[in-house]
Amino acid sequence: MISLFKKKKDISVSPLTVDVHSHLLPGLDDGVQSMDESIAILSEMSEIGYEKVITTPHVIADHYPNTPETIYKSLRELREKIKEVGLNIQVQAAAEYYLDDHLLEKLENNDALLTFGDNYLLFETSFINQPSFLVEAVFKISALGLKPVLAHPERYLYLQQNESLLSELLDRGVHLQINLNSLTGYYSKPARKFAEKLIERGQVSFIGSDCHNSKHMESLKRATQMRYFEKATNQGLLNNML
């Protein structure tokens, strides 16, 4: 097998240079809680080949009511720290929106939403049950000229069990973003198997780290060595185009 990795200071460097999903703004959600931890993780991400990180704090009305203002304020502080320590990595911010009534209301009101790249909107759902308004929300997102990106679809039980729903979402222009750590079985064996199936079918648009903490980084390093990671990066992922 031909390796896609080159050696640099005995660290395997990934061909994936842009990350589209992480939780690295300190104290905004269940991700990193200190600036030092954020800098440490970004330093490790730089070492394994990332040149740009698009960090995506949760926006969940009842738990993490983040706004563009709070997110951008934290982003400015992180960028200042990155400059201070001389870390060579770009950091941008979007958000990971939880699909609920509050997000539907924002879509109906055409409220400001944080996107990345060419108007990609990252959203997640319940892991167990399909939201009754999932298809409606996808329609509303697209009608606003945004491009829906479903975060970690391999982790949703309802999607694993419903091939027709998956096909409908793809037909409606939904992009799939799998988590890199899913390829190691970090979340579960079914999630790993489903992620591999999506890669086999060429249905994955983005791979995200979904990094929350230093523990995730150790698994991420292993994941870049997995056969299905190599297979996915050969399929023309959109990450490096951002």
Side-chain angles (χ1 to χ4, degrees):
M1 180 183 297
I2 298 175
S3 175
L4 290 175
F5 305 99
K6 58 184 178 180
K7 290 292 183 179
K8 179 182 178 182
K9 297 181 181 179
D10 297 323
I11 297 174
S12 293
V13 178
S14 164
L16 209 59
T17 61
V18 180
D19 184 44
V20 299
H21 184 173
S22 66
H23 300 268
L24 302 180
L25 294 179
L28 291 190
D29 57 13
D30 59 345
V32 300
Q33 297 303 306
S34 72
M35 188 66 74
D36 287 344
E37 184 182 11
S38 181
I39 292 297
I41 289 173
L42 287 169
S43 179
E44 289 190 79
M45 294 184 78
S46 177
E47 286 181 344
I48 63 173
Y50 286 106
E51 299 173 2
K52 179 191 294 184
V53 171
I54 302 169
T55 193
T56 51
H58 288 293
V59 177
I60 306 174
D62 296 333
H63 298 284
Y64 307 114
N66 289 306
T67 65
E69 291 75 22
T70 61
I71 290 171
Y72 281 139
K73 178 179 183 295
S74 184
L75 175 64
R76 288 193 296 270
E77 293 170 354
L78 178 56
R79 283 175 167 173
E80 288 173 4
K81 188 65 174 180
I82 289 171
K83 184 177 181 180
E84 178 186 323
V85 301
L87 185 58
N88 185 26
I89 193 168
Q90 298 179 54
V91 179
Q92 298 177 357
E96 180 183 14
Y97 292 94
Y98 187 78
L99 182 52
D100 56 13
D101 291 334
H102 296 281
L103 178 56
L104 276 183
E105 184 178 345
K106 288 179 181 295
L107 293 169
E108 289 167 356
N109 295 335
N110 197 14
D111 290 343
L113 297 171
L114 294 180
T115 62
F116 66 89
D118 188 18
N119 278 333
Y120 292 107
L121 182 75
L122 184 70
F123 74 99
E124 64 175 338
T125 74
S126 162
F127 286 105
I128 307 298
N129 300 311
Q130 175 190 342
S132 59
F133 40 75
L134 174 58
V135 174
E136 176 189 357
V138 167
F139 174 81
K140 289 180 181 296
I141 292 169
S142 299
L144 291 173
L146 307 176
K147 299 176 181 178
V149 179
L150 182 59
H152 39 63
E154 73 279 7
R155 299 180 63 191
Y156 302 129
L157 294 180
Y158 71 85
L159 203 56
Q160 294 175 16
Q161 301 164 359
N162 193 337
E163 290 285 341
S164 62
L165 175 60
L166 176 63
S167 295
E168 181 176 5
L169 294 177
L170 291 168
D171 288 343
R172 288 179 176 272
V174 174
H175 294 271
L176 304 183
Q177 175 262 301
I178 65 168
N179 280 3
L180 184 51
N181 276 340
S182 289
L183 302 181
T184 68
Y186 183 89
Y187 303 103
S188 70
K189 184 176 180 180
R192 176 175 64 82
K193 290 293 186 181
F194 196 38
E196 292 174 352
K197 180 185 292 188
L198 295 174
I199 292 171
E200 286 284 359
R201 294 172 174 175
Q203 294 172 330
V204 176
S205 294
F206 298 98
I207 291 183
S209 70
D210 200 3
C211 185
H212 284 64
N213 51 52
S214 297
K215 181 180 178 182
H216 281 172
M217 277 306 305
E218 293 307 311
S219 181
L220 286 172
K221 292 173 185 177
R222 295 195 302 273
T224 60
Q225 307 299 313
M226 306 298 291
R227 179 168 63 91
Y228 273 91
F229 176 70
E230 182 175 340
K231 189 175 184 69
T233 55
N234 279 331
Q235 292 179 347
L237 295 173
L238 300 179
N239 292 62
N240 291 1
M241 298 175 64
L242 300 174

mmCIF file of all heavy atoms in Angstrom, residues 157-188:
data_model
loop_
_atom_site.group_PDB
_atom_site.id
_atom_site.type_symbol
_atom_site.label_atom_id
_atom_site.label_comp_id
_atom_site.label_asym_id
_atom_site.label_seq_id
_atom_site.Cartn_x
_atom_site.Cartn_y
_atom_site.Cartn_z
ATOM 1 N N LEU A 157 -28.441 6.676 15.540
ATOM 2 C CA LEU A 157 -29.056 5.355 15.438
ATOM 3 C C LEU A 157 -30.180 5.347 14.411
ATOM 4 O O LEU A 157 -30.338 4.387 13.649
ATOM 5 C CB LEU A 157 -29.574 4.913 16.806
ATOM 6 C CG LEU A 157 -28.521 4.657 17.889
ATOM 7 C CD1 LEU A 157 -29.192 4.216 19.185
ATOM 8 C CD2 LEU A 157 -27.513 3.607 17.437
ATOM 9 N N TYR A 158 -30.996 6.397 14.402
ATOM 10 C CA TYR A 158 -32.140 6.430 13.482
ATOM 11 C C TYR A 158 -31.687 6.436 12.027
ATOM 12 O O TYR A 158 -32.389 5.920 11.140
ATOM 13 C CB TYR A 158 -33.041 7.626 13.780
ATOM 14 C CG TYR A 158 -32.459 8.977 13.412
ATOM 15 C CD1 TYR A 158 -32.570 9.496 12.125
ATOM 16 C CD2 TYR A 158 -31.803 9.748 14.374
ATOM 17 C CE1 TYR A 158 -32.032 10.728 11.800
ATOM 18 C CE2 TYR A 158 -31.270 10.989 14.051
ATOM 19 C CZ TYR A 158 -31.394 11.469 12.761
ATOM 20 O OH TYR A 158 -30.859 12.698 12.437
ATOM 21 N N LEU A 159 -30.498 6.985 11.756
ATOM 22 C CA LEU A 159 -30.003 7.041 10.390
ATOM 23 C C LEU A 159 -29.348 5.722 9.997
ATOM 24 O O LEU A 159 -29.454 5.289 8.842
ATOM 25 C CB LEU A 159 -29.011 8.198 10.246
ATOM 26 C CG LEU A 159 -28.802 8.758 8.840
ATOM 27 C CD1 LEU A 159 -30.121 9.200 8.228
ATOM 28 C CD2 LEU A 159 -27.827 9.925 8.873
ATOM 29 N N GLN A 160 -28.694 5.074 10.949
ATOM 30 C CA GLN A 160 -28.117 3.759 10.688
ATOM 31 C C GLN A 160 -29.187 2.763 10.253
ATOM 32 O O GLN A 160 -28.917 1.844 9.476
ATOM 33 C CB GLN A 160 -27.420 3.224 11.946
ATOM 34 C CG GLN A 160 -26.196 4.003 12.395
ATOM 35 C CD GLN A 160 -25.639 3.484 13.709
ATOM 36 O OE1 GLN A 160 -25.971 2.384 14.143
ATOM 37 N NE2 GLN A 160 -24.811 4.280 14.361
ATOM 38 N N GLN A 161 -30.403 2.972 10.742
ATOM 39 C CA GLN A 161 -31.494 2.017 10.514
ATOM 40 C C GLN A 161 -32.449 2.440 9.409
ATOM 41 O O GLN A 161 -33.468 1.783 9.192
ATOM 42 C CB GLN A 161 -32.274 1.835 11.828
ATOM 43 C CG GLN A 161 -31.424 1.328 12.972
ATOM 44 C CD GLN A 161 -32.059 1.512 14.330
ATOM 45 O OE1 GLN A 161 -33.163 2.042 14.448
ATOM 46 N NE2 GLN A 161 -31.377 1.072 15.379
ATOM 47 N N ASN A 162 -32.135 3.530 8.705
ATOM 48 C CA ASN A 162 -33.082 4.047 7.714
ATOM 49 C C ASN A 162 -32.347 4.500 6.460
ATOM 50 O O ASN A 162 -32.003 5.666 6.302
ATOM 51 C CB ASN A 162 -33.875 5.212 8.325
ATOM 52 C CG ASN A 162 -35.080 5.595 7.487
ATOM 53 O OD1 ASN A 162 -35.137 5.328 6.293
ATOM 54 N ND2 ASN A 162 -36.051 6.245 8.119
ATOM 55 N N GLU A 163 -32.109 3.560 5.562
ATOM 56 C CA GLU A 163 -31.380 3.851 4.334
ATOM 57 C C GLU A 163 -32.144 4.828 3.435
ATOM 58 O O GLU A 163 -31.543 5.664 2.761
ATOM 59 C CB GLU A 163 -31.110 2.553 3.572
ATOM 60 C CG GLU A 163 -30.091 1.639 4.225
ATOM 61 C CD GLU A 163 -28.667 2.134 4.068
ATOM 62 O OE1 GLU A 163 -28.421 2.970 3.176
ATOM 63 O OE2 GLU A 163 -27.795 1.681 4.831
ATOM 64 N N SER A 164 -33.465 4.733 3.432
ATOM 65 C CA SER A 164 -34.252 5.618 2.566
ATOM 66 C C SER A 164 -34.149 7.070 3.022
ATOM 67 O O SER A 164 -34.110 7.992 2.199
ATOM 68 C CB SER A 164 -35.715 5.168 2.525
ATOM 69 O OG SER A 164 -36.300 5.248 3.812
ATOM 70 N N LEU A 165 -34.101 7.293 4.337
ATOM 71 C CA LEU A 165 -33.939 8.647 4.855
ATOM 72 C C LEU A 165 -32.577 9.207 4.464
ATOM 73 O O LEU A 165 -32.457 10.371 4.060
ATOM 74 C CB LEU A 165 -34.099 8.666 6.370
ATOM 75 C CG LEU A 165 -33.840 10.018 7.048
ATOM 76 C CD1 LEU A 165 -34.801 11.089 6.538
ATOM 77 C CD2 LEU A 165 -33.937 9.878 8.565
ATOM 78 N N LEU A 166 -31.549 8.382 4.582
ATOM 79 C CA LEU A 166 -30.211 8.810 4.187
ATOM 80 C C LEU A 166 -30.199 9.223 2.721
ATOM 81 O O LEU A 166 -29.652 10.281 2.363
ATOM 82 C CB LEU A 166 -29.201 7.688 4.426
ATOM 83 C CG LEU A 166 -27.769 7.969 3.961
ATOM 84 C CD1 LEU A 166 -27.165 9.139 4.721
ATOM 85 C CD2 LEU A 166 -26.900 6.716 4.137
ATOM 86 N N SER A 167 -30.821 8.422 1.875
ATOM 87 C CA SER A 167 -30.876 8.741 0.443
ATOM 88 C C SER A 167 -31.620 10.041 0.197
ATOM 89 O O SER A 167 -31.212 10.858 -0.635
ATOM 90 C CB SER A 167 -31.554 7.596 -0.320
ATOM 91 O OG SER A 167 -30.788 6.413 -0.243
ATOM 92 N N GLU A 168 -32.713 10.253 0.944
ATOM 93 C CA GLU A 168 -33.485 11.482 0.763
ATOM 94 C C GLU A 168 -32.666 12.703 1.159
ATOM 95 O O GLU A 168 -32.692 13.739 0.466
ATOM 96 C CB GLU A 168 -34.769 11.436 1.589
ATOM 97 C CG GLU A 168 -35.623 12.681 1.418
ATOM 98 C CD GLU A 168 -36.948 12.625 2.145
ATOM 99 O OE1 GLU A 168 -37.183 11.642 2.876
ATOM 100 O OE2 GLU A 168 -37.751 13.568 1.985
ATOM 101 N N LEU A 169 -31.940 12.604 2.270
ATOM 102 C CA LEU A 169 -31.121 13.730 2.703
ATOM 103 C C LEU A 169 -30.045 14.056 1.672
ATOM 104 O O LEU A 169 -29.802 15.232 1.360
ATOM 105 C CB LEU A 169 -30.481 13.421 4.062
ATOM 106 C CG LEU A 169 -31.438 13.289 5.247
ATOM 107 C CD1 LEU A 169 -30.668 12.901 6.511
ATOM 108 C CD2 LEU A 169 -32.215 14.583 5.471
ATOM 109 N N LEU A 170 -29.412 13.037 1.141
ATOM 110 C CA LEU A 170 -28.397 13.261 0.121
ATOM 111 C C LEU A 170 -29.007 13.877 -1.128
ATOM 112 O O LEU A 170 -28.434 14.795 -1.729
ATOM 113 C CB LEU A 170 -27.688 11.948 -0.213
ATOM 114 C CG LEU A 170 -26.789 11.381 0.892
ATOM 115 C CD1 LEU A 170 -26.374 9.944 0.559
ATOM 116 C CD2 LEU A 170 -25.554 12.248 1.089
ATOM 117 N N ASP A 171 -30.189 13.391 -1.509
ATOM 118 C CA ASP A 171 -30.871 13.934 -2.684
ATOM 119 C C ASP A 171 -31.239 15.403 -2.484
ATOM 120 O O ASP A 171 -31.306 16.167 -3.453
ATOM 121 C CB ASP A 171 -32.137 13.131 -2.988
ATOM 122 C CG ASP A 171 -31.827 11.748 -3.553
ATOM 123 O OD1 ASP A 171 -30.684 11.527 -3.998
ATOM 124 O OD2 ASP A 171 -32.736 10.886 -3.531
ATOM 125 N N ARG A 172 -31.463 15.790 -1.237
ATOM 126 C CA ARG A 172 -31.832 17.170 -0.929
ATOM 127 C C ARG A 172 -30.610 18.064 -0.719
ATOM 128 O O ARG A 172 -30.735 19.210 -0.308
ATOM 129 C CB ARG A 172 -32.740 17.212 0.305
ATOM 130 C CG ARG A 172 -34.142 16.684 0.040
ATOM 131 C CD ARG A 172 -35.011 16.719 1.287
ATOM 132 N NE ARG A 172 -36.372 16.302 1.000
ATOM 133 C CZ ARG A 172 -37.350 17.117 0.584
ATOM 134 N NH1 ARG A 172 -37.087 18.409 0.426
ATOM 135 N NH2 ARG A 172 -38.557 16.666 0.341
ATOM 136 N N GLY A 173 -29.437 17.536 -1.001
ATOM 137 C CA GLY A 173 -28.229 18.347 -0.967
ATOM 138 C C GLY A 173 -27.516 18.413 0.366
ATOM 139 O O GLY A 173 -26.648 19.270 0.563
ATOM 140 N N VAL A 174 -27.848 17.517 1.278
ATOM 141 C CA VAL A 174 -27.161 17.507 2.575
ATOM 142 C C VAL A 174 -25.760 16.918 2.410
ATOM 143 O O VAL A 174 -25.583 15.858 1.803
ATOM 144 C CB VAL A 174 -27.956 16.685 3.607
ATOM 145 C CG1 VAL A 174 -27.172 16.551 4.906
ATOM 146 C CG2 VAL A 174 -29.307 17.336 3.872
ATOM 147 N N HIS A 175 -24.781 17.614 2.944
ATOM 148 C CA HIS A 175 -23.408 17.116 2.968
ATOM 149 C C HIS A 175 -23.184 16.361 4.276
ATOM 150 O O HIS A 175 -23.679 16.765 5.326
ATOM 151 C CB HIS A 175 -22.405 18.274 2.873
ATOM 152 C CG HIS A 175 -22.446 18.994 1.562
ATOM 153 N ND1 HIS A 175 -21.687 18.606 0.477
ATOM 154 C CD2 HIS A 175 -23.160 20.077 1.154
ATOM 155 C CE1 HIS A 175 -21.922 19.420 -0.541
ATOM 156 N NE2 HIS A 175 -22.815 20.315 -0.157
ATOM 157 N N LEU A 176 -22.445 15.282 4.217
ATOM 158 C CA LEU A 176 -22.173 14.473 5.397
ATOM 159 C C LEU A 176 -20.763 14.740 5.907
ATOM 160 O O LEU A 176 -19.799 14.709 5.146
ATOM 161 C CB LEU A 176 -22.338 12.986 5.082
ATOM 162 C CG LEU A 176 -23.686 12.544 4.513
ATOM 163 C CD1 LEU A 176 -23.713 11.033 4.330
ATOM 164 C CD2 LEU A 176 -24.840 13.001 5.401
ATOM 165 N N GLN A 177 -20.658 14.987 7.208
ATOM 166 C CA GLN A 177 -19.363 15.204 7.862
ATOM 167 C C GLN A 177 -19.174 14.126 8.927
ATOM 168 O O GLN A 177 -19.824 14.147 9.964
ATOM 169 C CB GLN A 177 -19.310 16.594 8.512
ATOM 170 C CG GLN A 177 -18.030 16.846 9.334
ATOM 171 C CD GLN A 177 -18.236 16.614 10.831
ATOM 172 O OE1 GLN A 177 -19.075 17.264 11.444
ATOM 173 N NE2 GLN A 177 -17.473 15.688 11.419
ATOM 174 N N ILE A 178 -18.316 13.171 8.649
ATOM 175 C CA ILE A 178 -18.063 12.137 9.649
ATOM 176 C C ILE A 178 -16.941 12.582 10.584
ATOM 177 O O ILE A 178 -16.129 13.437 10.236
ATOM 178 C CB ILE A 178 -17.714 10.774 9.009
ATOM 179 C CG1 ILE A 178 -16.385 10.845 8.251
ATOM 180 C CG2 ILE A 178 -18.836 10.290 8.099
ATOM 181 C CD1 ILE A 178 -15.855 9.476 7.841
ATOM 182 N N ASN A 179 -16.923 11.996 11.768
ATOM 183 C CA ASN A 179 -15.870 12.278 12.736
ATOM 184 C C ASN A 179 -14.686 11.361 12.500
ATOM 185 O O ASN A 179 -14.852 10.145 12.340
ATOM 186 C CB ASN A 179 -16.378 12.076 14.159
ATOM 187 C CG ASN A 179 -17.191 13.248 14.657
ATOM 188 O OD1 ASN A 179 -17.427 14.206 13.932
ATOM 189 N ND2 ASN A 179 -17.645 13.163 15.899
ATOM 190 N N LEU A 180 -13.506 11.933 12.522
ATOM 191 C CA LEU A 180 -12.287 11.163 12.314
ATOM 192 C C LEU A 180 -12.164 10.038 13.340
ATOM 193 O O LEU A 180 -11.791 8.907 13.006
ATOM 194 C CB LEU A 180 -11.078 12.098 12.383
ATOM 195 C CG LEU A 180 -9.692 11.524 12.090
ATOM 196 C CD1 LEU A 180 -9.676 10.749 10.784
ATOM 197 C CD2 LEU A 180 -8.673 12.647 12.066
ATOM 198 N N ASN A 181 -12.519 10.320 14.585
ATOM 199 C CA ASN A 181 -12.379 9.310 15.628
ATOM 200 C C ASN A 181 -13.348 8.143 15.472
ATOM 201 O O ASN A 181 -13.153 7.093 16.086
ATOM 202 C CB ASN A 181 -12.541 9.938 17.008
ATOM 203 C CG ASN A 181 -11.240 10.547 17.512
ATOM 204 O OD1 ASN A 181 -10.167 10.203 17.040
ATOM 205 N ND2 ASN A 181 -11.341 11.456 18.472
ATOM 206 N N SER A 182 -14.375 8.314 14.665
ATOM 207 C CA SER A 182 -15.286 7.194 14.417
ATOM 208 C C SER A 182 -14.558 6.034 13.752
ATOM 209 O O SER A 182 -14.943 4.875 13.910
ATOM 210 C CB SER A 182 -16.467 7.644 13.538
ATOM 211 O OG SER A 182 -17.331 8.491 14.252
ATOM 212 N N LEU A 183 -13.504 6.346 12.995
ATOM 213 C CA LEU A 183 -12.777 5.306 12.264
ATOM 214 C C LEU A 183 -11.971 4.398 13.187
ATOM 215 O O LEU A 183 -11.532 3.332 12.773
ATOM 216 C CB LEU A 183 -11.859 5.953 11.228
ATOM 217 C CG LEU A 183 -12.554 6.845 10.195
ATOM 218 C CD1 LEU A 183 -11.543 7.397 9.204
ATOM 219 C CD2 LEU A 183 -13.649 6.069 9.467
ATOM 220 N N THR A 184 -11.777 4.814 14.426
ATOM 221 C CA THR A 184 -11.058 3.969 15.394
ATOM 222 C C THR A 184 -12.011 3.184 16.276
ATOM 223 O O THR A 184 -11.559 2.399 17.115
ATOM 224 C CB THR A 184 -10.161 4.827 16.310
ATOM 225 O OG1 THR A 184 -10.999 5.630 17.166
ATOM 226 C CG2 THR A 184 -9.243 5.739 15.512
ATOM 227 N N GLY A 185 -13.326 3.401 16.117
ATOM 228 C CA GLY A 185 -14.292 2.779 17.015
ATOM 229 C C GLY A 185 -14.433 3.519 18.325
ATOM 230 O O GLY A 185 -14.982 2.980 19.282
ATOM 231 N N TYR A 186 -13.969 4.754 18.367
ATOM 232 C CA TYR A 186 -13.966 5.537 19.608
ATOM 233 C C TYR A 186 -15.367 5.680 20.193
ATOM 234 O O TYR A 186 -15.547 5.622 21.410
ATOM 235 C CB TYR A 186 -13.377 6.917 19.322
ATOM 236 C CG TYR A 186 -13.236 7.820 20.521
ATOM 237 C CD1 TYR A 186 -12.078 7.815 21.296
ATOM 238 C CD2 TYR A 186 -14.262 8.682 20.891
ATOM 239 C CE1 TYR A 186 -11.942 8.645 22.395
ATOM 240 C CE2 TYR A 186 -14.131 9.519 21.988
ATOM 241 C CZ TYR A 186 -12.976 9.497 22.739
ATOM 242 O OH TYR A 186 -12.854 10.312 23.826
ATOM 243 N N TYR A 187 -16.363 5.867 19.341
ATOM 244 C CA TYR A 187 -17.734 6.070 19.825
ATOM 245 C C TYR A 187 -18.477 4.754 19.994
ATOM 246 O O TYR A 187 -19.150 4.543 20.998
ATOM 247 C CB TYR A 187 -18.490 6.995 18.870
ATOM 248 C CG TYR A 187 -17.810 8.327 18.673
ATOM 249 C CD1 TYR A 187 -17.087 8.603 17.520
ATOM 250 C CD2 TYR A 187 -17.870 9.307 19.657
ATOM 251 C CE1 TYR A 187 -16.449 9.812 17.347
ATOM 252 C CE2 TYR A 187 -17.228 10.529 19.492
ATOM 253 C CZ TYR A 187 -16.516 10.774 18.332
ATOM 254 O OH TYR A 187 -15.861 11.973 18.166
ATOM 255 N N SER A 188 -18.344 3.878 19.004
ATOM 256 C CA SER A 188 -18.973 2.561 19.067
ATOM 257 C C SER A 188 -18.604 1.791 17.803
ATOM 258 O O SER A 188 -18.209 2.391 16.793
ATOM 259 C CB SER A 188 -20.498 2.665 19.167
ATOM 260 O OG SER A 188 -21.045 3.129 17.941
#
